[in-house]
Structure formats: C-alpha cells, structure tokens
Coordinates of all heavy atoms in Angstrom, one line a residue:
P150 N 42.9 83.9 116.1 CA 42.8 83.4 117.5 C 43.5 84.3 118.5 O 44.6 84.8 118.1 CB 43.5 82.0 117.4 CG 44.1 81.9 116.0 CD 43.6 83.0 115.2
P151 N 43.0 84.4 119.7 CA 43.7 85.2 120.7 C 45.1 84.8 121.1 O 45.9 85.7 121.4 CB 42.7 85.2 121.9 CG 41.7 84.2 121.6 CD 41.8 83.8 120.2
E152 N 45.4 83.5 121.0 CA 46.7 83.1 121.4 C 47.8 83.6 120.4 O 48.9 84.0 120.8 CB 46.8 81.5 121.3 CG 45.9 80.8 122.3 CD 44.5 80.6 121.7 OE1 44.4 80.5 120.5 OE2 43.6 80.5 122.5
Y153 N 47.4 83.8 119.2 CA 48.3 84.3 118.2 C 48.7 85.7 118.5 O 49.8 86.1 118.4 CB 47.7 84.2 116.8 CG 48.5 84.7 115.7 CD1 49.6 84.0 115.2 CD2 48.2 85.9 115.0 CE1 50.4 84.5 114.2 CE2 49.0 86.4 114.0 CZ 50.1 85.7 113.6 OH 50.9 86.1 112.6
F154 N 47.7 86.6 118.8 CA 47.9 88.0 119.1 C 48.7 88.1 120.4 O 49.5 89.0 120.6 CB 46.6 88.7 119.1 CG 46.0 88.9 117.7 CD1 44.9 88.2 117.4 CD2 46.6 89.7 116.8 CE1 44.4 88.3 116.1 CE2 46.1 89.9 115.5 CZ 45.0 89.2 115.2
E155 N 48.3 87.3 121.4 CA 49.0 87.4 122.7 C 50.5 87.0 122.6 O 51.3 87.6 123.4 CB 48.3 86.6 123.7 CG 46.9 87.1 124.1 CD 46.1 86.1 124.9 OE1 46.6 85.0 125.2 OE2 44.9 86.4 125.2
S156 N 50.8 86.1 121.7 CA 52.2 85.6 121.7 C 53.1 86.7 121.0 O 54.3 86.7 121.2 CB 52.3 84.3 120.9 OG 52.0 84.6 119.5
G157 N 52.5 87.6 120.2 CA 53.3 88.6 119.5 C 54.0 88.1 118.3 O 54.9 88.8 117.8
A158 N 53.7 86.9 117.8 CA 54.4 86.3 116.7 C 54.2 87.1 115.4 O 55.0 87.0 114.5 CB 53.9 84.9 116.5
Y159 N 53.1 87.9 115.3 CA 52.9 88.6 114.1 C 53.7 89.9 114.0 O 53.9 90.5 112.9 CB 51.4 89.0 114.0 CG 51.0 89.9 115.1 CD1 51.0 91.3 114.9 CD2 50.6 89.5 116.3 CE1 50.6 92.2 115.9 CE2 50.2 90.3 117.4 CZ 50.2 91.7 117.2 OH 49.9 92.5 118.2
R160 N 54.3 90.3 115.1 CA 55.2 91.5 115.0 C 56.5 91.3 114.4 O 57.1 90.2 114.5 CB 55.4 92.0 116.5 CG 54.2 92.5 117.1 CD 54.5 93.1 118.5 NE 53.3 93.5 119.2 CZ 53.0 93.0 120.4 NH1 53.8 92.2 121.0 NH2 51.9 93.4 120.9
K161 N 57.0 92.3 113.6 CA 58.3 92.2 113.0 C 59.4 92.3 114.0 O 59.3 93.1 115.0 CB 58.5 93.2 111.9 CG 57.6 93.0 110.7 CD 57.9 94.1 109.7 CE 57.0 93.9 108.5 NZ 57.3 95.0 107.5
Q162 N 60.5 91.6 113.8 CA 61.6 91.8 114.7 C 62.4 93.0 114.2 O 62.5 93.2 113.0 CB 62.5 90.6 114.7 CG 61.9 89.4 115.5 CD 62.9 88.2 115.6 OE1 64.0 88.3 115.0 NE2 62.5 87.2 116.3
S163 N 63.1 93.7 115.1 CA 63.9 94.9 114.6 C 65.1 94.4 113.9 O 65.6 93.2 114.1 CB 64.3 95.7 115.8 OG 65.2 95.1 116.6
K164 N 65.7 95.2 113.1 CA 67.0 94.9 112.4 C 68.1 94.6 113.4 O 69.0 93.9 113.2 CB 67.3 96.0 111.4 CG 66.4 96.1 110.3 CD 66.8 97.1 109.3 CE 65.9 97.2 108.1 NZ 66.3 98.2 107.2
N165 N 68.0 95.4 114.5 CA 69.1 95.2 115.5 C 69.1 93.8 116.1 O 70.1 93.2 116.4 CB 68.9 96.2 116.7 CG 69.2 97.6 116.2 OD1 69.9 97.8 115.2 ND2 68.7 98.6 116.9
A166 N 67.9 93.2 116.3 CA 67.8 91.8 116.8 C 68.5 90.9 115.8 O 69.2 89.9 116.2 CB 66.4 91.4 117.1
F167 N 68.2 91.1 114.5 CA 68.8 90.2 113.5 C 70.3 90.4 113.5 O 71.1 89.4 113.4 CB 68.2 90.5 112.1 CG 66.8 90.0 112.0 CD1 65.8 90.9 111.8 CD2 66.5 88.7 112.1 CE1 64.5 90.5 111.6 CE2 65.2 88.2 112.0 CZ 64.2 89.1 111.8
A168 N 70.8 91.6 113.6 CA 72.2 91.9 113.6 C 72.9 91.3 114.8 O 74.0 90.7 114.7 CB 72.5 93.4 113.5
A169 N 72.2 91.3 115.9 CA 72.8 90.7 117.1 C 72.9 89.2 117.0 O 73.9 88.6 117.4 CB 72.0 91.1 118.3
Q170 N 71.9 88.6 116.4 CA 72.0 87.1 116.2 C 73.1 86.8 115.2 O 73.8 85.8 115.4 CB 70.6 86.6 115.6 CG 69.5 86.7 116.6 CD 68.2 86.3 115.9 OE1 68.1 86.1 114.7 NE2 67.1 86.4 116.7
R171 N 73.2 87.6 114.1 CA 74.3 87.3 113.2 C 75.7 87.5 113.8 O 76.6 86.7 113.6 CB 74.1 88.2 112.0 CG 75.1 87.9 110.8 CD 74.9 88.8 109.6 NE 73.6 89.5 109.5 CZ 73.6 90.9 109.4 NH1 74.7 91.6 109.4 NH2 72.4 91.5 109.4
E172 N 75.8 88.6 114.6 CA 77.1 88.8 115.2 C 77.5 87.7 116.2 O 78.6 87.3 116.3 CB 77.0 90.2 115.9 CG 78.4 90.6 116.5 CD 78.3 92.0 117.0 OE1 77.8 92.9 116.3 OE2 78.8 92.2 118.2
S173 N 76.5 87.3 117.0 CA 76.8 86.2 117.9 C 77.2 84.9 117.2 O 78.1 84.2 117.7 CB 75.6 85.9 118.9 OG 74.5 85.4 118.1
A174 N 76.6 84.7 116.0 CA 77.0 83.5 115.2 C 78.4 83.6 114.7 O 79.1 82.7 114.7 CB 76.0 83.3 114.1
N175 N 78.7 84.9 114.3 CA 80.1 85.1 113.8 C 81.1 85.0 114.9 O 82.3 84.6 114.7 CB 80.2 86.5 113.2 CG 79.5 86.6 111.8 OD1 79.2 85.5 111.2 ND2 79.1 87.7 111.4
N176 N 80.8 85.4 116.2 CA 81.7 85.3 117.3 C 82.0 83.9 117.7 O 83.0 83.6 118.3 CB 81.2 86.1 118.5 CG 81.2 87.6 118.2 OD1 82.0 88.1 117.4 ND2 80.5 88.3 119.0
N177 N 81.1 83.0 117.4 CA 81.3 81.6 117.7 C 82.4 80.9 116.9 O 82.9 79.9 117.2 CB 80.0 80.8 117.6 CG 79.0 81.2 118.7 OD1 79.4 81.8 119.7 ND2 77.7 81.0 118.4
K178 N 82.7 81.5 115.7 CA 83.7 80.9 114.8 C 85.1 81.3 115.4 O 85.4 82.5 115.6 CB 83.6 81.5 113.4 CG 82.2 81.1 112.8 CD 82.1 81.8 111.4 CE 80.8 81.5 110.8 NZ 80.6 82.2 109.6
S179 N 85.9 80.3 115.7 CA 87.2 80.7 116.3 C 88.3 80.6 115.2 O 88.2 79.9 114.2 CB 87.5 79.7 117.4 OG 87.5 78.4 117.0
N180 N 89.4 81.3 115.5 CA 90.7 81.2 114.7 C 90.4 81.7 113.3 O 91.0 81.1 112.4 CB 91.3 79.8 114.7 CG 91.7 79.4 116.1 OD1 92.1 80.3 116.9 ND2 91.7 78.1 116.4
Q181 N 89.6 82.7 113.1 CA 89.3 83.2 111.8 C 89.6 84.7 111.8 O 89.4 85.4 112.7 CB 87.9 83.0 111.4 CG 87.5 81.5 111.1 CD 86.1 81.4 110.5 OE1 85.4 82.4 110.5 NE2 85.8 80.2 110.1
K182 N 90.2 85.1 110.6 CA 90.5 86.5 110.4 C 89.1 87.3 110.4 O 88.2 86.8 109.8 CB 91.2 86.7 109.1 CG 91.8 88.1 108.9 CD 92.7 88.1 107.7 CE 91.9 88.3 106.4 NZ 92.8 88.4 105.3
P183 N 89.1 88.5 111.0 CA 87.8 89.2 110.9 C 87.4 89.6 109.5 O 88.3 89.9 108.7 CB 88.1 90.5 111.8 CG 89.5 90.5 112.0 CD 90.1 89.2 111.8
T184 N 86.2 89.6 109.2 CA 85.7 89.9 107.9 C 85.8 91.4 107.7 O 85.9 92.2 108.6 CB 84.3 89.4 107.6 OG1 83.4 90.1 108.6 CG2 84.2 88.0 107.8
K185 N 85.7 91.9 106.4 CA 85.7 93.3 106.1 C 84.6 94.0 106.8 O 84.8 95.1 107.3 CB 85.6 93.4 104.6 CG 85.9 94.8 104.1 CD 85.9 94.9 102.6 CE 86.4 96.2 102.1 NZ 86.5 96.3 100.7
R186 N 83.4 93.4 106.9 CA 82.3 94.0 107.6 C 82.6 94.3 109.1 O 82.2 95.3 109.7 CB 81.1 93.2 107.4 CG 79.8 93.8 108.1 CD 78.6 92.9 107.8 NE 78.1 93.1 106.5 CZ 77.1 93.9 106.3 NH1 76.6 94.7 107.2 NH2 76.6 94.1 105.0
Q187 N 83.3 93.3 109.7 CA 83.5 93.4 111.1 C 84.6 94.5 111.5 O 84.5 95.2 112.5 CB 84.0 92.1 111.7 CG 82.9 91.1 111.7 CD 83.4 89.7 112.1 OE1 84.6 89.4 111.9 NE2 82.5 88.8 112.6
R188 N 85.6 94.6 110.6 CA 86.7 95.6 111.0 C 86.5 96.9 110.3 O 87.2 97.8 110.6 CB 88.0 95.0 110.6 CG 88.3 94.8 109.1 CD 89.7 94.4 108.8 NE 89.9 94.4 107.4 CZ 89.9 93.4 106.6 NH1 89.7 92.2 107.1 NH2 90.1 93.5 105.3
G189 N 85.6 97.1 109.4 CA 85.3 98.3 108.7 C 85.9 98.4 107.3 O 86.9 97.6 107.1
H190 N 85.4 99.2 106.5 CA 85.8 99.3 105.1 C 86.7 100.5 104.8 O 87.1 100.7 103.6 CB 84.6 99.2 104.2 CG 83.7 100.4 104.3 ND1 82.8 100.6 105.3 CD2 83.7 101.5 103.5 CE1 82.2 101.7 105.1 NE2 82.7 102.3 104.1
N191 N 86.9 101.4 105.7 CA 87.8 102.5 105.4 C 88.7 102.9 106.6 O 88.6 102.3 107.7 CB 86.9 103.7 105.0 CG 85.9 104.1 106.1 OD1 86.1 103.9 107.3 ND2 84.8 104.7 105.7
Q192 N 89.5 103.8 106.5 CA 90.5 104.2 107.5 C 89.8 104.7 108.8 O 90.3 104.4 109.9 CB 91.4 105.3 107.0 CG 92.4 104.9 106.0 CD 93.4 106.0 105.7 OE1 93.7 106.8 106.5 NE2 93.8 106.1 104.4
W193 N 88.7 105.4 108.6 CA 88.0 106.0 109.8 C 87.4 104.8 110.6 O 87.6 104.8 111.9 CB 86.9 106.9 109.3 CG 85.9 107.2 110.3 CD1 84.5 106.9 110.2 CD2 86.0 107.8 111.6 NE1 83.9 107.3 111.3 CE2 84.7 107.8 112.2 CE3 87.1 108.2 112.4 CZ2 84.5 108.3 113.5 CZ3 86.9 108.7 113.6 CH2 85.6 108.8 114.2
L194 N 86.8 103.8 110.0 CA 86.2 102.8 110.8 C 87.3 101.8 111.4 O 87.1 101.3 112.5 CB 85.3 102.0 109.9 CG 84.0 102.7 109.5 CD1 83.2 101.9 108.5 CD2 83.2 103.2 110.7
Q195 N 88.4 101.7 110.7 CA 89.5 100.8 111.2 C 90.3 101.4 112.2 O 90.6 100.9 113.3 CB 90.3 100.3 110.0 CG 89.6 99.4 109.1 CD 90.5 99.0 107.9 OE1 91.6 99.3 107.8 NE2 89.9 98.3 106.9
N196 N 90.8 102.7 112.0 CA 91.8 103.3 112.9 C 91.4 104.6 113.4 O 92.1 105.2 114.2 CB 93.1 103.5 112.1 CG 93.6 102.2 111.4 OD1 93.5 101.1 112.0 ND2 94.1 102.3 110.2
G197 N 90.3 105.2 113.0 CA 89.9 106.5 113.4 C 90.7 107.6 112.7 O 90.8 108.7 113.1
V198 N 91.3 107.3 111.5 CA 92.1 108.2 110.7 C 91.4 108.6 109.4 O 90.8 107.8 108.7 CB 93.5 107.6 110.4 CG1 94.3 108.5 109.5 CG2 94.2 107.2 111.6
V199 N 91.3 109.9 109.2 CA 90.7 110.5 107.9 C 91.7 111.4 107.2 O 92.7 111.9 107.8 CB 89.4 111.3 108.2 CG1 88.4 110.4 108.8 CG2 89.7 112.4 109.2
R200 N 91.6 111.5 105.9 CA 92.4 112.4 105.1 C 91.7 113.8 105.3 O 90.5 113.9 105.0 CB 92.4 112.0 103.7 CG 93.4 112.8 102.8 CD 94.8 112.4 103.1 NE 95.7 113.1 102.2 CZ 96.9 113.3 102.4 NH1 97.5 112.8 103.6 NH2 97.7 113.8 101.5
F201 N 92.4 114.8 105.7 CA 91.8 116.1 106.1 C 92.6 117.2 105.4 O 93.8 117.2 105.4 CB 91.9 116.2 107.6 CG 91.3 117.4 108.2 CD1 89.9 117.4 108.3 CD2 92.0 118.5 108.6 CE1 89.3 118.5 108.8 CE2 91.4 119.6 109.2 CZ 90.0 119.6 109.3
E202 N 91.9 118.1 104.9 CA 92.5 119.3 104.3 C 92.1 120.5 105.1 O 90.9 120.7 105.4 CB 92.0 119.5 102.9 CG 92.6 120.7 102.1 CD 92.2 120.7 100.7 OE1 91.8 119.7 100.1 OE2 92.4 121.8 100.1
L203 N 93.1 121.3 105.5 CA 92.8 122.5 106.4 C 92.0 123.5 105.6 O 92.4 123.9 104.5 CB 94.1 123.1 106.8 CG 95.0 122.2 107.7 CD1 96.3 122.9 108.0 CD2 94.3 121.9 109.0
P204 N 90.9 123.9 106.2 CA 90.0 124.9 105.5 C 90.6 126.4 105.6 O 90.1 127.2 104.9 CB 88.7 124.8 106.3 CG 89.1 124.3 107.6 CD 90.3 123.4 107.4
F205 N 91.5 126.6 106.6 CA 92.0 128.0 106.7 C 93.4 127.9 107.4 O 93.8 126.8 107.8 CB 91.1 128.9 107.6 CG 90.6 128.2 108.8 CD1 91.3 128.0 109.9 CD2 89.3 127.6 108.8 CE1 90.8 127.3 111.0 CE2 88.8 127.0 109.9 CZ 89.5 126.8 111.0
K206 N 94.1 129.0 107.4 CA 95.5 129.0 107.9 C 95.4 128.8 109.4 O 94.6 129.3 110.1 CB 96.1 130.4 107.6 CG 97.5 130.6 108.1 CD 98.0 132.0 107.8 CE 99.3 132.2 108.4 NZ 99.8 133.6 108.2
V207 N 96.3 127.9 109.9 CA 96.4 127.6 111.3 C 97.9 127.7 111.8 O 98.8 127.8 111.0 CB 95.8 126.2 111.7 CG1 94.4 126.1 111.3 CG2 96.6 125.1 111.0
V208 N 98.0 127.8 113.1 CA 99.3 127.8 113.7 C 99.4 126.5 114.6 O 98.6 126.3 115.4 CB 99.6 129.1 114.6 CG1 100.9 129.0 115.3 CG2 99.5 130.3 113.7
C209 N 100.5 125.8 114.5 CA 100.8 124.6 115.3 C 101.0 125.0 116.8 O 101.8 125.9 117.0 CB 102.0 123.8 114.8 SG 102.4 122.4 115.8
L210 N 100.3 124.4 117.7 CA 100.5 124.7 119.1 C 101.8 124.2 119.7 O 102.3 124.6 120.7 CB 99.3 124.2 119.9 CG 97.9 124.8 119.6 CD1 96.8 124.1 120.4 CD2 97.9 126.3 119.8
G211 N 102.4 123.1 119.0 CA 103.6 122.5 119.5 C 104.9 123.3 119.1 O 105.7 123.7 119.9
C212 N 105.0 123.6 117.8 CA 106.2 124.3 117.3 C 106.0 125.7 116.8 O 106.9 126.3 116.3 CB 106.8 123.4 116.2 SG 105.8 123.3 114.7
Q213 N 104.8 126.2 116.9 CA 104.4 127.6 116.5 C 104.7 127.8 115.0 O 104.8 129.0 114.6 CB 105.2 128.6 117.4 CG 105.0 128.5 118.9 CD 103.5 128.6 119.3 OE1 102.8 129.4 118.7 NE2 103.1 127.8 120.2
Q214 N 104.7 126.8 114.2 CA 104.8 126.9 112.8 C 103.5 127.2 112.1 O 102.5 126.7 112.5 CB 105.4 125.7 112.2 CG 105.7 125.8 110.7 CD 106.3 124.5 110.2 OE1 106.6 123.6 110.9 NE2 106.5 124.5 108.9
S215 N 103.5 128.1 111.2 CA 102.3 128.5 110.4 C 102.0 127.5 109.3 O 102.9 127.1 108.6 CB 102.4 129.9 109.8 OG 101.3 130.2 109.0
I216 N 100.8 127.0 109.2 CA 100.4 126.0 108.2 C 99.3 126.6 107.4 O 98.3 127.0 107.9 CB 100.0 124.7 108.9 CG1 101.0 124.1 109.8 CG2 99.6 123.6 107.8 CD1 100.6 123.0 110.7
G217 N 99.5 126.6 106.0 CA 98.6 127.3 105.1 C 97.3 126.5 104.9 O 97.2 125.3 105.1
A218 N 96.3 127.2 104.4 CA 95.0 126.6 104.0 C 95.3 125.7 102.9 O 96.1 125.9 102.0 CB 94.0 127.7 103.7
G219 N 94.6 124.6 102.8 CA 94.7 123.6 101.7 C 95.7 122.5 102.0 O 95.8 121.6 101.1
T220 N 96.4 122.6 103.0 CA 97.4 121.5 103.4 C 96.7 120.3 103.8 O 95.8 120.3 104.6 CB 98.4 122.0 104.5 OG1 98.9 123.3 104.1 CG2 99.5 121.0 104.7
R221 N 97.1 119.1 103.2 CA 96.4 117.9 103.5 C 97.2 117.1 104.5 O 98.4 117.0 104.5 CB 96.2 117.1 102.2 CG 95.3 117.8 101.3 CD 95.0 117.0 100.1 NE 94.0 117.7 99.3 CZ 94.0 117.7 98.0 NH1 94.9 116.9 97.3 NH2 93.1 118.3 97.3
Y222 N 96.4 116.5 105.5 CA 97.0 115.7 106.5 C 96.2 114.4 106.7 O 95.0 114.4 106.4 CB 97.0 116.4 107.9 CG 98.0 117.5 108.0 CD1 97.7 118.8 107.8 CD2 99.2 117.2 108.5 CE1 98.6 119.8 108.0 CE2 100.2 118.1 108.7 CZ 99.9 119.4 108.4 OH 100.8 120.4 108.6
N223 N 96.8 113.4 107.3 CA 96.1 112.3 107.8 C 95.8 112.7 109.3 O 96.7 112.8 110.1 CB 96.9 111.0 107.8 CG 96.9 110.4 106.4 OD1 96.1 110.6 105.6 ND2 98.0 109.6 106.1
A224 N 94.6 112.8 109.6 CA 94.2 113.3 111.0 C 93.4 112.3 111.7 O 92.7 111.5 111.2 CB 93.3 114.6 110.8
K225 N 93.7 112.2 113.0 CA 92.9 111.3 113.9 C 91.6 112.0 114.3 O 91.6 113.1 114.8 CB 93.7 111.0 115.2 CG 93.0 110.1 116.1 CD 94.0 109.1 116.7 CE 93.3 108.2 117.7 NZ 92.8 107.0 117.0
K226 N 90.5 111.4 114.0 CA 89.2 112.0 114.2 C 88.5 111.4 115.4 O 88.5 110.2 115.6 CB 88.3 111.8 113.0 CG 86.9 112.3 113.0 CD 86.2 112.0 111.7 CE 84.7 112.3 111.8 NZ 84.0 111.9 110.5
S227 N 88.1 112.2 116.3 CA 87.4 111.8 117.5 C 86.2 112.7 117.8 O 86.2 113.9 117.4 CB 88.4 111.7 118.7 OG 88.9 113.0 118.9
T228 N 85.2 112.1 118.5 CA 84.1 113.0 118.8 C 84.3 113.6 120.2 O 85.0 113.0 121.1 CB 82.8 112.1 118.9 OG1 82.9 111.0 119.8 CG2 82.4 111.6 117.5
T229 N 83.7 114.7 120.4 CA 83.7 115.3 121.8 C 82.4 115.1 122.4 O 81.4 114.6 121.8 CB 84.0 116.9 121.6 OG1 82.9 117.4 120.9 CG2 85.3 117.1 120.9
D230 N 82.3 115.5 123.7 CA 81.0 115.3 124.4 C 80.0 116.5 124.1 O 78.9 116.4 124.4 CB 81.3 115.3 125.9 CG 82.1 114.1 126.3 OD1 82.0 113.1 125.6 OD2 82.8 114.2 127.4
E231 N 80.5 117.5 123.4 CA 79.7 118.7 123.1 C 78.9 118.5 121.8 O 79.3 117.7 120.9 CB 80.6 119.9 122.9 CG 81.4 120.2 124.2 CD 82.4 121.3 123.9 OE1 82.3 122.0 122.9 OE2 83.4 121.4 124.7
T232 N 77.8 119.2 121.7 CA 77.0 119.2 120.4 C 76.7 120.6 120.1 O 76.7 121.5 121.0 CB 75.7 118.4 120.6 OG1 75.0 119.0 121.7 CG2 76.0 116.9 120.8
Y233 N 76.4 120.9 118.8 CA 75.9 122.2 118.4 C 74.5 121.9 117.9 O 74.3 121.3 116.9 CB 76.8 122.7 117.2 CG 76.3 124.0 116.7 CD1 76.5 125.2 117.4 CD2 75.6 124.1 115.5 CE1 76.0 126.4 117.0 CE2 75.1 125.3 115.0 CZ 75.4 126.5 115.8 OH 74.9 127.7 115.3
F234 N 73.5 122.3 118.7 CA 72.2 121.9 118.6 C 72.1 120.3 118.6 O 72.4 119.7 119.6 CB 71.5 122.5 117.4 CG 71.3 124.0 117.5 CD1 72.2 124.9 116.9 CD2 70.3 124.5 118.3 CE1 72.1 126.2 117.0 CE2 70.2 125.9 118.5 CZ 71.1 126.8 117.8
S235 N 71.8 119.7 117.5 CA 71.8 118.2 117.5 C 73.0 117.6 116.7 O 73.1 116.4 116.6 CB 70.5 117.7 116.9 OG 70.4 118.1 115.5
S236 N 73.9 118.5 116.3 CA 75.1 118.0 115.5 C 76.2 117.6 116.4 O 76.5 118.4 117.3 CB 75.5 119.0 114.5 OG 74.5 119.3 113.6
K237 N 76.9 116.5 116.1 CA 78.1 116.2 116.9 C 79.2 117.1 116.5 O 79.3 117.6 115.4 CB 78.5 114.7 116.5 CG 77.6 113.7 117.0 CD 78.1 112.3 116.6 CE 77.1 111.2 116.9 NZ 77.6 109.9 116.4
I238 N 80.1 117.3 117.5 CA 81.3 118.1 117.2 C 82.5 117.2 117.2 O 82.7 116.4 118.1 CB 81.5 119.2 118.2 CG1 80.3 120.2 118.2 CG2 82.8 119.9 118.0 CD1 80.4 121.3 119.2
Y239 N 83.3 117.2 116.1 CA 84.4 116.4 115.9 C 85.7 117.1 116.3 O 85.8 118.3 116.0 CB 84.5 115.8 114.5 CG 83.4 114.8 114.2 CD1 82.3 115.3 113.5 CD2 83.4 113.5 114.6 CE1 81.2 114.4 113.2 CE2 82.4 112.6 114.3 CZ 81.3 113.1 113.7 OH 80.3 112.2 113.4
E240 N 86.7 116.4 116.7 CA 88.0 116.9 117.0 C 89.0 116.2 116.1 O 89.0 115.0 116.0 CB 88.4 116.7 118.5 CG 89.7 117.2 118.9 CD 89.9 116.9 120.4 OE1 89.9 115.7 120.8 OE2 90.2 117.8 121.1
F241 N 89.9 117.0 115.4 CA 90.9 116.5 114.5 C 92.3 116.7 115.1 O 92.6 117.9 115.5 CB 90.8 117.1 113.1 CG 89.5 116.8 112.5 CD1 88.4 117.7 112.6 CD2 89.3 115.6 111.8 CE1 87.2 117.4 112.0 CE2 88.1 115.4 111.2 CZ 87.1 116.3 111.2
Q242 N 93.1 115.7 115.2 CA 94.5 115.8 115.7 C 95.4 115.6 114.6 O 95.4 114.6 113.9 CB 94.7 114.8 116.8 CG 93.8 115.0 118.0 CD 94.0 113.9 119.0 OE1 94.8 113.0 118.8 NE2 93.3 114.0 120.1
L243 N 96.3 116.6 114.3 CA 97.2 116.6 113.2 C 98.6 116.5 113.8 O 99.0 117.1 114.8 CB 97.1 117.9 112.4 CG 95.7 118.3 111.9 CD1 95.8 119.6 111.3 CD2 95.2 117.3 111.0
A244 N 99.5 115.8 113.0 CA 100.9 115.7 113.4 C 101.7 116.6 112.5 O 101.6 116.5 111.3 CB 101.4 114.3 113.2
C245 N 102.3 117.6 113.1 CA 103.1 118.6 112.3 C 104.3 118.0 111.7 O 105.0 117.3 112.3 CB 103.4 119.8 113.2 SG 104.2 121.1 112.4

C-alpha cells in the first residue's frame, strides 16, 4: 500500500538513533554511578592518558635533559587540528 511506503516505516533506523535513545534512557536514571560503558574502559577514554614509549632520543624542553629511546611514560594524548592526508595527528605531553 502507498501509505506504508510514504510513512518510511520499512526503512531501518541508524545505529546512532538507537544509541541516542539508550543514552537518553540512561540519563534519566538519577543518583547512579556511571557504568563502565559510559565512562570508558581504558585510561585513554577515561583521562586521556596512554602508556607511551619514546621511539627515539629526545631532549626535554623544560630542563634540557636528554631522554633515551625506549623510555616509557604515562603521556597525555590529545588531537591537533592538523591532519596528514586523512590521518589525525596526535600530540603527546610527557612529564619529565
């Protein structure tokens, strides 16, 4: 029937629409601790912190100390506005 096709009921809803409905339902619950899915499952999603190993020798801009390749740090990861072709460029901030 033409009413069926005009209404668009046969079309699939996008996953984003379902996610938005689920999120709004979760937001209606008050005084509850956020679930693991809402706050993220790793350090990067929760705090923007990743475990990072220096790929080459660097010099600290603050204290001018030389730091060797392979040194591991907890680094704050953030995106820049720049891209390399279609790839995002990330910035890592290390505490010396």
Side-chain angles (χ1 to χ4, degrees):
E152 299 86 26
Y153 180 74
F154 289 108
E155 290 170 2
S156 69
Y159 63 94
R160 293 189 185 119
K161 290 183 180 179
Q162 290 185 355
S163 70
K164 291 182 180 180
N165 292 338
F167 289 116
Q170 290 173 0
R171 186 176 346 122
E172 187 173 310
S173 66
N175 287 340
N176 289 340
N177 292 338
K178 298 174 184 176
S179 60
N180 298 330
Q181 289 186 354
K182 189 169 87 174
T184 62
K185 190 172 189 178
R186 179 179 281 269
Q187 291 170 336
R188 70 173 185 260
H190 65 280
N191 59 28
Q192 287 186 36
W193 160 241
L194 294 175
Q195 291 176 7
N196 307 321
V198 175
V199 293
R200 188 73 174 159
F201 186 76
E202 184 173 341
L203 295 175
F205 42 80
K206 181 181 171 183
V207 297
V208 176
C209 176
L210 297 176
C212 64
Q213 302 302 321
Q214 182 178 356
S215 177
I216 305 168
T220 306
R221 294 186 179 146
Y222 283 97
N223 285 334
K225 182 145 179 81
K226 179 179 172 182
S227 58
T228 58
T229 61
D230 295 333
E231 302 173 17
T232 58
Y233 180 75
F234 292 101
S235 63
S236 301
K237 294 180 184 176
I238 296 178
Y239 292 99
E240 179 180 57
F241 298 94
Q242 297 174 358
L243 310 172
C245 182

